[in-house]
Amino acid sequence: IQANPSRNLVRIWYQGHVTAVGTAACAKEFETHLPGMQPGFTVMTDLSGLESMDLDCVSHLTRIMDLSKAHGIGTVVRVTLPAGSVSS
């Protein structure tokens, strides 16, 4: 995760095989960056290096989305690969 408060932007990268432990850590770190963001902030999530993601990640991803909504997210940008490129 990389936060840029001057651009009101948080960037998240997921690469390789992503586990629930990894997404739990991501959600925890994400929360630490929110105080530096203003309402209307942008979250850019880069999934282009993602190979697979465990289904157990859902609750942590939901946490990130709920935190974003509560803090007044303005824009979500997702960088992805063509359909069918990622397995679960």
Side-chain angles (χ1 to χ4, degrees):
I1 293 181
Q2 181 183 55
N4 186 333
S6 66
R7 294 184 65 200
N8 214 26
L9 172 67
V10 179
R11 294 178 182 165
I12 303 172
W13 287 267
Y14 291 106
Q15 297 180 348
H17 176 74
V18 177
T19 65
V21 171
T23 53
C26 179
K28 190 172 187 175
E29 183 179 351
F30 181 80
E31 189 168 10
T32 68
H33 292 296
L34 287 177
M37 296 297 118
Q38 300 300 313
F41 70 101
T42 298
V43 173
M44 188 212 69
T45 304
D46 187 338
L47 304 167
S48 63
L50 182 67
E51 293 175 12
S52 62
M53 182 178 279
D54 291 342
L55 291 175
D56 293 344
C57 296
V58 170
S59 63
H60 307 297
L61 297 171
T62 300
R63 174 85 175 133
I64 291 170
M65 291 186 289
D66 290 346
L67 288 166
S68 297
K69 184 176 178 182
H71 198 72
I73 191 169
T75 304
V76 175
V77 177
R78 292 183 187 96
V79 178
T80 63
L81 291 172
S85 298
V86 177
S87 63
S88 58

